[in-house]
Amino acid sequence: MIPWATRAVIFDLDGVLTDTAELHFQAWKRLADEEGLAFTREDNERLRGVSRHQSLEFLLQGRTVSEVEAEALMSRKNKYYQQMIRRLTPADLLPGVAPLLTELRQANLKIAIASASRNADEVIERLGIADQVDALGDGNSVERQRPAPDLLLHVARQLGVSPEQCVVVDDAAAGIEAALAAGMRVVGLGPASRVGNADIVLANLDGIHPEDILAMKSEK
Ligand code: B16
């Protein structure tokens, strides 16, 4: 067995570092209301970590639109979303995130973010954590989104570390799947019904220290 050493932690953004899910919900809801489509908070849960295009498909509930119309709908939703993220501040980091990032840096671990969002760079900037992030993979970085491992592997390459040296923190089932497919260890945040396939399951990052997310078996 080759012993591994953790060198990097790769965080999902929405639902892990901040709760932009609520803002995505408000933006999709406004679009849905304008288009006469039913869309609830419960429906929004299904869009966690899901790409903009797939989210639209879900929202349309089988209604067919041309690719040009789809682009126009997505761009309208994105305009609403961008109006809302302008108001984000460091106070919108979820509990426990700021101290955990500080402690990870003190422990000489690299920090990266892997997000399906094309707005991730602006969100990170407004949350005030851009200077703590060594690499960012976002909705523009790769073709295939999670559950494919591509985004995580892209981020690991940017960091110059191997998959076995990475720990992923994600709150979506597709994110857990992607991490396992990438050969990375993974911490799932949320109910076991959603993230139970992860190596460690935590409710959230409140009160969590590096040792809590790095204390995993050395071989899988
Ligand atoms: P955008 P994550 C995801 O972020 C969101 O969870 C998902 O709801 C959103 O549709 C997706 O980003 C794309 O976002 O429309 O801003 O490009 O969880 O991967 O950080």
Side-chain angles (χ1 to χ4, degrees), residues 88-103:
L88 288 174
T89 73
D92 292 298
L93 283 172
L94 284 168
V97 169
L100 179 60
L101 295 182
T102 303
E103 289 176 29

Side-chain angles (χ1 to χ4, degrees), residues 4 6 164 185 199-200 213-220:
W4 53 263
T6 305
E164 315 81 70
R185 285 158 291 134
D199 297 288
I200 292 180
I213 59 170
L214 304 181
M216 283 186 240
K217 283 196 301 182
S218 54
E219 295 91 24
K220 295 201 339 179

Side-chain angles (χ1 to χ4, degrees), residues 161-180:
V161 299
S162 62
E164 315 81 70
Q165 293 172 322
C166 298
V167 167
V168 175
V169 184
D170 206 307
D171 69 324
I176 308 299
E177 234 183 281
L180 296 174

Side-chain angles (χ1 to χ4, degrees), residues 12-14 24 47 49-50 52 55 115-119 146:
D12 170 45
L13 180 61
D14 177 25
H24 281 295
L47 304 186
V50 170
R52 197 181 302 172
S55 300
S115 168
S117 175
R118 295 195 162 113
N119 297 294
R146 293 168 290 200

Side-chain angles (χ1 to χ4, degrees), residues 108-149:
N108 282 325
L109 285 152
K110 289 177 191 280
I111 295 170
I113 294 177
S115 168
S117 175
R118 295 195 162 113
N119 297 294
D121 54 351
E122 180 172 349
V123 170
I124 291 162
E125 195 65 49
R126 293 192 182 278
L127 291 172
I129 55 171
D131 59 348
Q132 287 173 288
V133 175
D134 298 297
L136 165 67
D138 64 15
N140 298 309
S141 302
V142 294
E143 283 274 309
R144 293 192 311 164
Q145 296 299 329
R146 293 168 290 200

Side-chain angles (χ1 to χ4, degrees), residues 28-219:
W28 282 123
K29 178 71 180 149
R30 183 168 167 192
L31 183 78
D33 288 350
E34 287 167 355
E35 294 298 315
L37 295 161
F39 184 63
T40 64
R41 262 173 211 285
E42 209 172 50
D43 295 332
N44 193 58
E45 278 300 298
R46 309 244 326 245
L47 304 186
R48 209 177 264 272
V50 170
S51 75
R52 197 181 302 172
H53 202 284
Q54 283 175 301
S55 300
L56 177 69
E57 277 171 28
F58 178 84
L59 194 87
L60 289 172
Q61 298 153 10
R63 188 205 282 186
T64 49
V65 295
S66 69
E67 205 39 51
V68 173
E69 286 168 310
E71 284 300 330
L73 290 167
M74 287 189 289
S75 131
R76 199 179 339 146
K77 179 267 173 177
N78 195 47
K79 192 180 80 190
Y80 301 153
Y81 181 66
Q82 286 181 331
Q83 283 166 1
M84 288 186 283
I85 60 175
R86 275 188 220 133
R87 296 197 291 269
L88 288 174
T89 73
D92 292 298
L93 283 172
L94 284 168
V97 169
L100 179 60
L101 295 182
T102 303
E103 289 176 29
L104 287 170
R105 288 206 80 83
Q106 283 165 353
N108 282 325
L109 285 152
K110 289 177 191 280
I111 295 170
I113 294 177
S115 168
S117 175
R118 295 195 162 113
N119 297 294
D121 54 351
E122 180 172 349
V123 170
I124 291 162
E125 195 65 49
R126 293 192 182 278
L127 291 172
I129 55 171
D131 59 348
Q132 287 173 288
V133 175
D134 298 297
L136 165 67
D138 64 15
N140 298 309
S141 302
V142 294
E143 283 274 309
R144 293 192 311 164
Q145 296 299 329
R146 293 168 290 200
D150 306 24
L151 185 64
L152 294 169
L153 295 173
H154 169 83
V155 168
R157 271 195 302 276
Q158 273 184 282
L159 291 171
V161 299
S162 62
E164 315 81 70
Q165 293 172 322
C166 298
V167 167
V168 175
V169 184
D170 206 307
D171 69 324
I176 308 299
E177 234 183 281
L180 296 174
M184 298 177 181
R185 285 158 291 134
V186 58
V187 177
L189 301 186
S193 55
R194 193 173 75 212
V195 295
N197 287 338
D199 297 288
I200 292 180
V201 174
L202 299 172
N204 52 54
L205 293 177
D206 197 7
I208 297 301
H209 301 282
E211 56 271 27
D212 301 318
I213 59 170
L214 304 181
M216 283 186 240
K217 283 196 301 182
S218 54
E219 295 91 24

